[in-house]
Amino acid sequence: MAPAVTTAATRGLLFRLAWRNLWRNPRRTLIACASIFFAVFLSVLISSTQVGQNQLLIDTMVGFSTGHVQVHGAGYWEKRSLDQSMPADSTLLSGIAALPGVDHVVPRLETVALIAHGNVTKVVPVFGVEPLREDGMTGFGKRLERGTALAAWTDGALVGAGLARMLGANVGDTLVLYGQGYQGVTAAGLIRVAGILAYPIPDMNNNAFFLTLTEAQRTFAAEGRVTSIAVMLADQETSDAAAAAIRAAVGSGREVMTWRALMPELVQAINANNGGTVIMLLILYIVIGFGIFSTVVMMTTERRKEFRMVIALGMRRGRLALVTVIEAVLIALTGAMAGIIGSIPVILWLHAHPVVLGGEYEKVMLAYGMEPILPFSADPLVFWSQALIVGTLGILSALYPVVIVSRMTTSTK
């Protein structure tokens, strides 16, 4: 037991020695910590924005359209035709919903039809949905501006506010629907406007036309069939594993694709966003690294005579090098932790109150079908990754005094 007690005591002594050495020149230590604090603060903000933007992209594009995983009939994704629809019943849906990690299972019947009111006619995408399932995935119930409450919606159409304005229609008016149903059957009907939906995105506002799934199947002669089943997961990172499990559950004759395969352009947009952010973070890390390194160099240069003296007095070079390493790491971690602690309340506030963009930025975001906001992520990984990176920079900077001490002689010549 004695050697262990001695080792622990020695480690404690070396740590206290390193800590006291830092405060022999408090101004230099505080300046170094302050520079690391601001750099880490900025890097946390940038990382949080990057993760938040990626999440907004995925939530907007995936949440409103495909889901994290989509099940559809063989060949449907290429042809987008009702003829490639597939039968779906409650057994199939409940079987997918029972798989681990699945949050929502949303069946849809999607097609295109001509909608007319008075002298105005427009071709729009038509979505047949189950109201409560769809609301659980996209939250479109909160977009209901006026008309029938979502829970009581059993017939008629929910129409986007922009489309309703173009058609000159209001709640209670009757629209004419004309299109092609399953296997070439003519689909035609008079559809009452049950409600008006108000989306912040113009493209959705001008094209939203929802029927209940039952009414859509009846109108397009596709009873019991759906064009897709969108699956939302608790964790999007598990989409590949979930797709494999769903593929095994639904059997042959159906295709199962992840959102990455369904929307490669979204993956490219995320990669482009990550690339720009990485460049900015690299610049910040270079600033942080040189800040720590310059401090370590100054501390080492000022104390060369001291190092020679303590070596001459019998202190082992290894222990002296360990003291310098502890000093560098302490500076890095003190500044990094201060930056992380200082950024937490700011990030949490920005996460709850995302920045609303205006002017040209608003137009660009709306053009891409996204809400004009700058979101921030409060993912703990955003904070801890910065501490890990700065701690690594501190350790790398500590190699300099280690090399100096290892080569140092007790002679002053």
Side-chain angles (χ1 to χ4, degrees), residues 71-87:
V71 183
H72 49 246
Y76 170 75
W77 194 244
E78 290 76 23
K79 298 182 180 179
R80 312 290 179 92
S81 167
L82 282 179
D83 291 343
Q84 274 69 47
S85 61
M86 62 182 180

PDB file of all heavy atoms in Angstrom, residues 71-87:
ATOM      1  N   VAL A  71     -42.218   3.201 -46.964  1.00  0.00           N
ATOM      2  CA  VAL A  71     -42.592   1.936 -47.593  1.00  0.00           C
ATOM      3  C   VAL A  71     -43.539   2.274 -48.742  1.00  0.00           C
ATOM      4  O   VAL A  71     -44.493   3.036 -48.556  1.00  0.00           O
ATOM      5  CB  VAL A  71     -43.313   1.006 -46.593  1.00  0.00           C
ATOM      6  CG1 VAL A  71     -43.628  -0.340 -47.250  1.00  0.00           C
ATOM      7  CG2 VAL A  71     -42.475   0.809 -45.335  1.00  0.00           C
ATOM      8  N   HIS A  72     -43.252   1.772 -49.926  1.00  0.00           N
ATOM      9  CA  HIS A  72     -44.150   1.993 -51.053  1.00  0.00           C
ATOM     10  C   HIS A  72     -44.110   0.782 -51.992  1.00  0.00           C
ATOM     11  O   HIS A  72     -43.258  -0.112 -51.837  1.00  0.00           O
ATOM     12  CB  HIS A  72     -43.796   3.286 -51.808  1.00  0.00           C
ATOM     13  CG  HIS A  72     -42.352   3.421 -52.153  1.00  0.00           C
ATOM     14  ND1 HIS A  72     -41.533   4.392 -51.626  1.00  0.00           N
ATOM     15  CD2 HIS A  72     -41.565   2.679 -52.956  1.00  0.00           C
ATOM     16  CE1 HIS A  72     -40.324   4.261 -52.113  1.00  0.00           C
ATOM     17  NE2 HIS A  72     -40.313   3.231 -52.917  1.00  0.00           N
ATOM     18  N   GLY A  73     -45.012   0.793 -52.929  1.00  0.00           N
ATOM     19  CA  GLY A  73     -45.076  -0.316 -53.857  1.00  0.00           C
ATOM     20  C   GLY A  73     -43.859  -0.349 -54.775  1.00  0.00           C
ATOM     21  O   GLY A  73     -43.212   0.683 -55.013  1.00  0.00           O
ATOM     22  N   ALA A  74     -43.542  -1.529 -55.296  1.00  0.00           N
ATOM     23  CA  ALA A  74     -42.385  -1.672 -56.188  1.00  0.00           C
ATOM     24  C   ALA A  74     -42.551  -0.774 -57.411  1.00  0.00           C
ATOM     25  O   ALA A  74     -43.583  -0.821 -58.091  1.00  0.00           O
ATOM     26  CB  ALA A  74     -42.241  -3.124 -56.616  1.00  0.00           C
ATOM     27  N   GLY A  75     -41.557   0.075 -57.664  1.00  0.00           N
ATOM     28  CA  GLY A  75     -41.575   0.946 -58.828  1.00  0.00           C
ATOM     29  C   GLY A  75     -42.306   2.260 -58.631  1.00  0.00           C
ATOM     30  O   GLY A  75     -42.304   3.115 -59.535  1.00  0.00           O
ATOM     31  N   TYR A  76     -42.918   2.457 -57.464  1.00  0.00           N
ATOM     32  CA  TYR A  76     -43.706   3.687 -57.274  1.00  0.00           C
ATOM     33  C   TYR A  76     -42.822   4.933 -57.278  1.00  0.00           C
ATOM     34  O   TYR A  76     -43.181   5.956 -57.868  1.00  0.00           O
ATOM     35  CB  TYR A  76     -44.482   3.618 -55.956  1.00  0.00           C
ATOM     36  CG  TYR A  76     -45.114   4.955 -55.593  1.00  0.00           C
ATOM     37  CD1 TYR A  76     -46.253   5.407 -56.252  1.00  0.00           C
ATOM     38  CD2 TYR A  76     -44.546   5.777 -54.622  1.00  0.00           C
ATOM     39  CE1 TYR A  76     -46.822   6.628 -55.950  1.00  0.00           C
ATOM     40  CE2 TYR A  76     -45.105   7.011 -54.311  1.00  0.00           C
ATOM     41  CZ  TYR A  76     -46.239   7.429 -54.980  1.00  0.00           C
ATOM     42  OH  TYR A  76     -46.787   8.650 -54.679  1.00  0.00           O
ATOM     43  N   TRP A  77     -41.633   4.857 -56.645  1.00  0.00           N
ATOM     44  CA  TRP A  77     -40.812   6.058 -56.490  1.00  0.00           C
ATOM     45  C   TRP A  77     -40.351   6.606 -57.845  1.00  0.00           C
ATOM     46  O   TRP A  77     -40.131   7.794 -57.994  1.00  0.00           O
ATOM     47  CB  TRP A  77     -39.609   5.766 -55.595  1.00  0.00           C
ATOM     48  CG  TRP A  77     -38.920   7.018 -55.121  1.00  0.00           C
ATOM     49  CD1 TRP A  77     -37.643   7.413 -55.404  1.00  0.00           C
ATOM     50  CD2 TRP A  77     -39.488   8.035 -54.294  1.00  0.00           C
ATOM     51  NE1 TRP A  77     -37.380   8.611 -54.808  1.00  0.00           N
ATOM     52  CE2 TRP A  77     -38.488   9.022 -54.113  1.00  0.00           C
ATOM     53  CE3 TRP A  77     -40.734   8.209 -53.685  1.00  0.00           C
ATOM     54  CZ2 TRP A  77     -38.711  10.163 -53.352  1.00  0.00           C
ATOM     55  CZ3 TRP A  77     -40.951   9.344 -52.930  1.00  0.00           C
ATOM     56  CH2 TRP A  77     -39.947  10.304 -52.775  1.00  0.00           C
ATOM     57  N   GLU A  78     -40.212   5.729 -58.843  1.00  0.00           N
ATOM     58  CA  GLU A  78     -39.793   6.187 -60.160  1.00  0.00           C
ATOM     59  C   GLU A  78     -40.981   6.716 -60.969  1.00  0.00           C
ATOM     60  O   GLU A  78     -40.871   7.722 -61.676  1.00  0.00           O
ATOM     61  CB  GLU A  78     -39.129   5.058 -60.956  1.00  0.00           C
ATOM     62  CG  GLU A  78     -37.758   4.624 -60.441  1.00  0.00           C
ATOM     63  CD  GLU A  78     -37.859   3.782 -59.186  1.00  0.00           C
ATOM     64  OE1 GLU A  78     -38.933   3.170 -58.960  1.00  0.00           O
ATOM     65  OE2 GLU A  78     -36.883   3.742 -58.408  1.00  0.00           O
ATOM     66  N   LYS A  79     -42.146   6.077 -60.872  1.00  0.00           N
ATOM     67  CA  LYS A  79     -43.281   6.425 -61.728  1.00  0.00           C
ATOM     68  C   LYS A  79     -44.302   7.326 -61.036  1.00  0.00           C
ATOM     69  O   LYS A  79     -45.047   8.032 -61.709  1.00  0.00           O
ATOM     70  CB  LYS A  79     -43.954   5.145 -62.217  1.00  0.00           C
ATOM     71  CG  LYS A  79     -43.033   4.269 -63.070  1.00  0.00           C
ATOM     72  CD  LYS A  79     -43.740   3.029 -63.567  1.00  0.00           C
ATOM     73  CE  LYS A  79     -42.802   2.173 -64.425  1.00  0.00           C
ATOM     74  NZ  LYS A  79     -43.445   0.936 -64.903  1.00  0.00           N
ATOM     75  N   ARG A  80     -44.368   7.278 -59.700  1.00  0.00           N
ATOM     76  CA  ARG A  80     -45.331   8.085 -58.927  1.00  0.00           C
ATOM     77  C   ARG A  80     -46.745   7.951 -59.494  1.00  0.00           C
ATOM     78  O   ARG A  80     -47.433   8.930 -59.736  1.00  0.00           O
ATOM     79  CB  ARG A  80     -44.918   9.560 -58.926  1.00  0.00           C
ATOM     80  CG  ARG A  80     -43.458   9.818 -58.598  1.00  0.00           C
ATOM     81  CD  ARG A  80     -43.165   9.526 -57.149  1.00  0.00           C
ATOM     82  NE  ARG A  80     -41.751   9.752 -56.872  1.00  0.00           N
ATOM     83  CZ  ARG A  80     -41.251  10.892 -56.448  1.00  0.00           C
ATOM     84  NH1 ARG A  80     -42.048  11.918 -56.247  1.00  0.00           N
ATOM     85  NH2 ARG A  80     -39.966  11.013 -56.214  1.00  0.00           N
ATOM     86  N   SER A  81     -47.172   6.752 -59.731  1.00  0.00           N
ATOM     87  CA  SER A  81     -48.490   6.499 -60.305  1.00  0.00           C
ATOM     88  C   SER A  81     -49.325   5.688 -59.324  1.00  0.00           C
ATOM     89  O   SER A  81     -48.805   4.858 -58.566  1.00  0.00           O
ATOM     90  CB  SER A  81     -48.352   5.740 -61.633  1.00  0.00           C
ATOM     91  OG  SER A  81     -49.601   5.239 -62.046  1.00  0.00           O
ATOM     92  N   LEU A  82     -50.635   5.916 -59.372  1.00  0.00           N
ATOM     93  CA  LEU A  82     -51.541   5.127 -58.531  1.00  0.00           C
ATOM     94  C   LEU A  82     -51.473   3.643 -58.874  1.00  0.00           C
ATOM     95  O   LEU A  82     -51.780   2.798 -58.043  1.00  0.00           O
ATOM     96  CB  LEU A  82     -52.976   5.629 -58.690  1.00  0.00           C
ATOM     97  CG  LEU A  82     -53.366   6.909 -57.940  1.00  0.00           C
ATOM     98  CD1 LEU A  82     -54.810   7.257 -58.248  1.00  0.00           C
ATOM     99  CD2 LEU A  82     -53.176   6.743 -56.448  1.00  0.00           C
ATOM    100  N   ASP A  83     -51.075   3.358 -60.108  1.00  0.00           N
ATOM    101  CA  ASP A  83     -50.988   1.950 -60.506  1.00  0.00           C
ATOM    102  C   ASP A  83     -49.884   1.211 -59.750  1.00  0.00           C
ATOM    103  O   ASP A  83     -49.858  -0.013 -59.730  1.00  0.00           O
ATOM    104  CB  ASP A  83     -50.741   1.843 -62.016  1.00  0.00           C
ATOM    105  CG  ASP A  83     -51.959   2.294 -62.808  1.00  0.00           C
ATOM    106  OD1 ASP A  83     -53.053   2.368 -62.209  1.00  0.00           O
ATOM    107  OD2 ASP A  83     -51.807   2.607 -64.002  1.00  0.00           O
ATOM    108  N   GLN A  84     -48.941   1.948 -59.181  1.00  0.00           N
ATOM    109  CA  GLN A  84     -47.888   1.330 -58.360  1.00  0.00           C
ATOM    110  C   GLN A  84     -48.220   1.421 -56.868  1.00  0.00           C
ATOM    111  O   GLN A  84     -47.350   1.247 -56.023  1.00  0.00           O
ATOM    112  CB  GLN A  84     -46.539   2.006 -58.619  1.00  0.00           C
ATOM    113  CG  GLN A  84     -45.753   1.443 -59.788  1.00  0.00           C
ATOM    114  CD  GLN A  84     -46.403   1.761 -61.107  1.00  0.00           C
ATOM    115  OE1 GLN A  84     -46.800   2.899 -61.347  1.00  0.00           O
ATOM    116  NE2 GLN A  84     -46.541   0.766 -61.975  1.00  0.00           N
ATOM    117  N   SER A  85     -49.485   1.723 -56.547  1.00  0.00           N
ATOM    118  CA  SER A  85     -49.886   1.749 -55.134  1.00  0.00           C
ATOM    119  C   SER A  85     -49.918   0.321 -54.593  1.00  0.00           C
ATOM    120  O   SER A  85     -49.784  -0.647 -55.347  1.00  0.00           O
ATOM    121  CB  SER A  85     -51.255   2.411 -54.997  1.00  0.00           C
ATOM    122  OG  SER A  85     -52.231   1.670 -55.734  1.00  0.00           O
ATOM    123  N   MET A  86     -50.104   0.197 -53.309  1.00  0.00           N
ATOM    124  CA  MET A  86     -50.052  -1.144 -52.684  1.00  0.00           C
ATOM    125  C   MET A  86     -51.192  -1.276 -51.675  1.00  0.00           C
ATOM    126  O   MET A  86     -51.654  -0.278 -51.103  1.00  0.00           O
ATOM    127  CB  MET A  86     -48.707  -1.332 -51.976  1.00  0.00           C
ATOM    128  CG  MET A  86     -48.493  -0.329 -50.859  1.00  0.00           C
ATOM    129  SD  MET A  86     -46.891  -0.502 -50.059  1.00  0.00           S
ATOM    130  CE  MET A  86     -46.999   0.807 -48.826  1.00  0.00           C
ATOM    131  N   PRO A  87     -51.654  -2.477 -51.425  1.00  0.00           N
ATOM    132  CA  PRO A  87     -52.672  -2.659 -50.384  1.00  0.00           C
ATOM    133  C   PRO A  87     -52.063  -2.460 -49.003  1.00  0.00           C
ATOM    134  O   PRO A  87     -50.909  -2.819 -48.762  1.00  0.00           O
ATOM    135  CB  PRO A  87     -53.122  -4.114 -50.600  1.00  0.00           C
ATOM    136  CG  PRO A  87     -51.980  -4.774 -51.292  1.00  0.00           C
ATOM    137  CD  PRO A  87     -51.323  -3.734 -52.120  1.00  0.00           C
TER     138      PRO A  87
END
